[in-house]
Amino acid sequence: MKDAAPQPHAFKQLNVALAGNPNAGKTTLFNALTGLNQKVANYPGVTVERKHGVWSVGEKEIKLIDLPGLYSLEATSLDEQIASDVLLGKIDGTPKPDAVIAVVDATNLERNLYLVTQLFEYGIPVVVALTMIDVFERQKHEIDIASLSRLLKVPVVAVNAADGRGAEELESRVEEVIGQVQTTPLEIDADAGENAKIFARYSFISDAVQRSVKHNDKSAHDMSEKIDKLLTHRFFGLAILVGVLLLVFQSIFSWAEVPMHLLEQVFGAIGDGLRSAMPEGILADLLVDGIIAGVGGVLVFLPQILLLFLFVSLLEDSGYMARAAFLMDKLMSRVGLHGKAFLPLMSSFACAIPGIMATRTIENQRDRFATILIAPFMSCSARLPVYTLMIGAFFAGQTVFGFISLGALLMLAMYSIGIAAAIIVAFILKHTILKSPPPPFVMELPPYRVPNLRTVVQNMITRAWLFVKRAGTVILAISIILWALAYFPRTGSSPSASEPTAAEAVQMQNSYAGQLGHLIEPVIQPLGFDWKIGVALIASFAAREVLVSTLSIIYNVGKDENEESTTLIAAIRDAKDSAGKPVWTPLTALTLMVFFVLAMQCMSTLAVVRRETNSWRWPLFMLGYMTCLAYLGAFLTYQGGKLVGLQ
Amino acid sequence: MLDIQTLIAGLIVLGALAYAVTLIRKKVRAFSPKKSCGDDCGCGSNSKKAVQ
């Protein structure tokens, strides 16, 4: 009621921020408190922008803000700046938080508490949430939480997002501190220099930790160091990395085979069922040759996408990915690339967009731009259907040394070509237009841990959902448009009973898509591509996996109507040109794969580069140089292959 | 005269075209930096200093 006395905070939206060092577990806690599913992984720098969620505390609904990790309030990179600005209330439209949950990694208290001591000085009410407490306890350390709380003069709560430990206590502690003015337990002379202040903070932390923590066990640390020595060894580490990747690719191929085949049969049956249930005509053609062929052709790769993200999540959450990053850093620094570049590049293996956004952790703009410009070379998951289609059609079932699948080797080769291209381009950029000295890089290696099942499954579901959503939206729309381009204008010569295939071929050649394909055919002919591949290349600029749906539509529209549905793999294997020669050969497939490794075939990535660089110059430069490089790479592969007698 | 099949197919194709146009417009708008950026759009003035 209007005349009622206002209750404190009753009318005001309460804001609580989660702040802490990178990889302290902020997003895991955020997900547990809000029920959301933001991306988490076991390495620093996963969150690069603030995220909001609603946290229900009693009857209140608190706006919970998840911030990028930061080591201190003196930000050195863009992501840290965002976090620091939110905490200090420097962002228009975002009020200073009413309280901060300082997320502190219990296994690394000294370093994590530094930020907390700074928060005290700014008067922000703080509750400390101790994460990784399960790991801490497994290492047989002991902590007196009450004592630490007394020394810090703030509530300290041990939390575990996995089993909900500490969630209720955290709620009540946050409710208690809201509205209070935070005092600092430190005695720092306001006129002291910055170094003196830093020294005072660390002295205070050291004293507090010594008085509240008993470190009992050293063996867990020793074991971790021994494993690190092996995994980051310049020779054995690299050999293990190659072995792990080969195993991943081999598993993706063999495990996905059965579910993929099943999905192919399901979509084939749906198409055949629709064809027989509907009267012949344009609508049946659109549904079967356009929608089912286009969307179904991409959706059959869902099992592989799920498996890819299962392995990526397992490697990330176990802490292995960070070791791989450390291993690659030596190579990165040699070409002048910032060591922090590897984590954004690693994210780009899933999708270049989060990878490009993750470059915000890089302080220097030239280093950041160099990383942005090479990120799309990392083979993203959208390339997986293209690689798999080509490998499935021409290299399936073949082995090297009797046990290594040729498909897995080729897949590894494609990923390696992308990395090699990125390193070479980075070297050129860093020695020409983006020249700057490489800064020193200290990377924090996260602890090894058993991957969290919830995190792994969540990552898989999130990526699979994105894939299905894309198939149901962008790919569906493009499939329909492409079908129309391949179906019209009608030539009027309906397929005769004696020569049905020839009539369909004439129709396809004269269609808008056919005309477009023939227009660019002279340019792509030196790469061994015909006009149909040309149409698919143009269409796949919207998204790489559209290549598969386009080929699926083209080969379905051009197919004899009396023919039963066959798989796309079979269709491209059997495709013949007007002279009766096969259009596709293993060499054509290899060339197309190389083209896709190097080409900038993604509209969304260009849009993100535009946003992150605040200019059209960089995305256009990226599109230009990557297209030229892709053409050159494909030309050398095809012509070189022919020279050495490959087919 | 248009039969019902052609009409439905035409509507589906038009719908797909409209969706594609809307999507492109939305993407361009969403990824264009606003006038008052510097928050978390990625083009903050702090990082620009490093290049000069």
Side-chain angles (χ1 to χ4, degrees):
Chain A
M1 286 205 300
K2 267 188 176 177
D3 53 336
Q7 296 295 307
H9 317 297
F11 54 92
K12 181 181 159 242
Q13 166 76 64
L14 291 173
N15 293 296
V16 173
L18 284 165
N21 286 187
N23 208 34
K26 293 177 293 301
T27 307
T28 308
L29 185 60
F30 175 81
N31 286 343
L33 298 178
T34 60
L36 294 174
N37 293 310
Q38 297 295 343
K39 156 97 179 166
V40 288
N42 185 16
Y43 56 81
V46 178
T47 308
V48 288
E49 53 183 356
R50 64 198 156 121
K51 309 259 170 63
H52 302 254
V54 176
W55 180 28
S56 301
V57 176
E59 289 180 0
K60 289 193 199 94
E61 290 210 325
I62 289 177
K63 183 174 168 187
L64 195 64
I65 308 164
D66 182 24
L67 296 173
L70 74 170
Y71 292 103
S72 82
L73 288 175
E74 286 87 36
T76 55
S77 61
L78 195 59
D79 60 328
E80 287 189 353
Q81 191 66 51
I82 294 162
S84 173
D85 286 351
V86 170
L87 289 170
L88 302 180
K90 287 184 182 171
I91 291 180
D92 291 342
T94 305
K96 194 173 167 178
D98 298 288
V100 172
I101 298 175
V103 181
V104 168
D105 176 357
T107 62
N108 211 332
L109 269 178
E110 284 90 342
R111 200 201 57 209
N112 277 247
L113 284 173
Y114 184 82
L115 174 71
V116 181
T117 59
Q118 282 193 308
L119 291 171
F120 293 158
E121 292 163 33
Y122 283 93
I124 310 167
V126 174
V127 174
V128 171
L130 279 181
T131 56
M132 317 279 177
I133 198 76
D134 49 337
V135 180
F136 181 86
E137 286 170 349
R138 262 204 308 277
Q139 290 173 351
K140 300 198 174 86
H141 304 308
E142 284 173 29
I143 185 165
D144 183 346
I145 292 177
S147 161
L148 185 65
S149 175
R150 256 195 322 275
L151 291 163
L152 296 177
K153 293 185 179 162
V154 291
V156 178
V157 183
V159 295
N160 187 345
D163 62 12
R165 172 178 168 184
E168 278 182 24
E169 194 188 345
L170 188 66
E171 280 181 17
S172 56
R173 296 297 183 203
V174 168
E175 274 191 298
E176 275 170 28
V177 299
I178 287 175
Q180 290 180 8
V181 176
Q182 183 69 51
T183 54
T184 174
L186 283 89
E187 286 170 12
I188 296 180
D189 183 359
D191 300 326
E194 198 47 46
N195 285 344
K197 284 181 180 173
I198 294 170
F199 183 75
R201 287 181 197 124
Y202 275 119
S203 298
F204 168 79
I205 293 166
S206 172
D207 181 52
V209 171
Q210 272 184 16
R211 287 163 68 179
S212 51
V213 177
K214 263 195 214 167
H215 291 283
N216 286 336
D217 182 46
K218 213 174 154 283
S219 64
H221 240 72
D222 289 348
M223 178 58 91
S224 171
E225 275 170 20
K226 275 179 193 162
I227 300 171
D228 276 348
K229 261 191 179 163
L230 182 69
L231 293 185
T232 58
H233 189 273
R234 68 165 70 169
F235 173 72
F236 295 114
L238 208 60
I240 292 170
L241 179 62
V242 170
V244 167
L245 291 176
L246 262 180
L247 199 68
V248 167
F249 295 138
Q250 195 142 344
S251 309
I252 288 176
F253 276 112
S254 51
W255 294 357
E257 207 178 320
V258 175
M260 267 185 79
H261 187 63
L262 274 174
L263 279 174
E264 274 172 357
Q265 285 186 326
V266 168
F267 286 113
I270 295 173
D272 291 341
L274 266 176
R275 179 77 76 194
S276 55
M278 290 179 72
E280 261 188 34
I282 185 171
L283 189 59
D285 289 345
L286 167 61
L287 292 177
V288 179
D289 299 336
I291 295 176
I292 307 282
V295 177
V298 172
L299 276 181
V300 293
F301 293 96
L302 183 62
Q304 291 195 329
I305 297 289
L306 277 168
L307 281 170
L308 177 72
F309 284 102
L310 168 71
F311 289 116
V312 168
S313 303
L314 286 175
L315 293 175
E316 274 181 0
D317 218 36
S318 63
Y320 178 72
M321 277 294 201
R323 271 75 191 176
F326 181 80
L327 201 65
M328 297 305 287
D329 175 50
K330 287 173 193 163
L331 204 57
M332 295 285 172
S333 58
R334 257 183 227 166
V335 298
L337 209 59
H338 194 298
K340 277 189 181 178
F342 188 74
L343 290 173
L345 295 179
M346 198 173 73
S347 299
S348 301
F349 281 115
C351 174
I353 292 170
I356 287 166
M357 288 176 69
T359 60
R360 292 176 181 190
T361 56
I362 300 171
E363 297 90 351
N364 183 300
Q365 194 176 17
R366 285 172 188 258
D367 289 329
R368 184 169 169 242
F369 280 13
T371 312
I372 287 175
L373 288 171
I374 60 166
F377 282 125
M378 303 299 120
S379 280
C380 62
S381 59
R383 284 168 170 116
L384 193 66
V386 180
Y387 296 162
T388 314
L389 178 68
M390 295 299 120
I391 290 170
F394 298 102
F395 308 101
Q398 299 175 48
T399 54
V400 179
F401 307 124
F403 67 97
I404 303 174
S405 135
L406 180 60
L409 261 184
L410 278 173
M411 195 77 112
L412 182 65
M414 292 306 127
Y415 279 70
S416 306
I417 291 171
I419 295 170
I423 288 172
I424 294 166
V425 172
F427 179 82
I428 296 168
L429 290 173
K430 285 292 293 172
H431 288 84
T432 53
I433 53 173
L434 292 171
K435 209 169 182 173
S436 70
F441 172 57
V442 180
M443 186 180 166
E444 183 192 349
L445 290 180
Y448 291 105
R449 64 178 185 216
V450 179
N452 181 306
L453 187 68
R454 187 178 181 270
T455 307
V456 171
V457 173
Q458 196 52 57
N459 277 346
M460 277 172 74
I461 293 173
T462 307
R463 298 307 310 189
W465 172 239
L466 280 176
F467 182 75
V468 174
K469 208 170 122 187
R470 245 160 103 95
T473 52
V474 181
I475 290 168
L476 172 67
I478 295 171
S479 297
I480 294 169
I481 295 168
L482 263 162
W483 170 86
L485 289 175
Y487 197 80
F488 295 108
R490 300 305 283 167
T491 50
S493 59
S494 59
S496 68
S498 58
E499 291 268 347
T501 316
E504 285 297 331
V506 169
Q507 164 61 42
M508 188 69 198
Q509 293 233 16
N510 293 327
S511 66
Y512 295 122
Q515 291 171 36
L516 186 70
H518 284 297
L519 193 73
I520 66 155
E521 198 174 24
V523 182
I524 56 170
Q525 223 162 23
L527 313 182
F529 300 160
D530 74 340
W531 65 270
K532 288 182 181 175
I533 303 176
V535 175
L537 285 182
I538 293 172
S540 63
F541 175 69
R544 291 181 175 96
E545 59 271 54
V546 169
L547 178 108
V548 177
S549 57
T550 309
L551 289 177
S552 199
I553 292 165
I554 289 176
Y555 284 112
N556 256 285
V557 173
K559 190 184 70 184
D560 170 7
E561 284 189 0
N562 301 318
E563 209 177 303
E564 283 284 299
S565 286
T566 53
T567 63
L568 178 57
I569 285 179
I572 61 174
R573 263 191 213 140
D574 300 340
K576 302 270 191 303
D577 62 14
S578 50
K581 277 168 58 185
V583 173
W584 293 85
T585 63
L587 185 58
T588 322
L590 202 61
T591 307
L592 191 72
M593 284 162 74
V594 170
F595 184 89
F596 265 79
V597 172
L598 303 172
M600 179 60 258
Q601 299 283 99
C602 182
M603 202 168 62
S604 302
T605 302
L606 285 175
V608 172
V609 175
R610 155 81 174 103
R611 187 180 79 159
E612 294 291 312
T613 61
N614 197 21
S615 147
W616 276 114
R617 192 163 51 117
W618 293 107
L620 289 175
F621 172 68
M622 180 191 255
L623 176 67
Y625 95 81
M626 285 185 76
T627 308
C628 292
L629 203 60
Y631 190 89
L632 185 69
F635 180 83
L636 291 177
T637 307
Y638 187 69
Q639 299 298 340
K642 276 207 324 191
L643 271 179
V644 298
L646 290 179
Q647 277 192 341
Chain B
M1 216 173 98
L2 287 177
D3 61 47
I4 186 78
Q5 275 213 26
T6 313
L7 193 70
I8 297 172
L11 283 175
I12 294 174
V13 174
L14 280 178
L17 270 172
Y19 177 77
V21 171
T22 316
L23 199 73
I24 292 169
R25 284 184 61 182
K26 222 162 89 176
K27 269 212 183 314
V28 169
R29 244 203 327 261
F31 286 109
S32 299
K34 292 157 193 78
K35 273 183 192 167
S36 59
C37 51
D39 172 357
D40 55 359
C41 74
C43 61
S45 54
N46 293 306
S47 51
K48 273 181 194 156
K49 284 175 193 161
V51 104
Q52 287 153 4

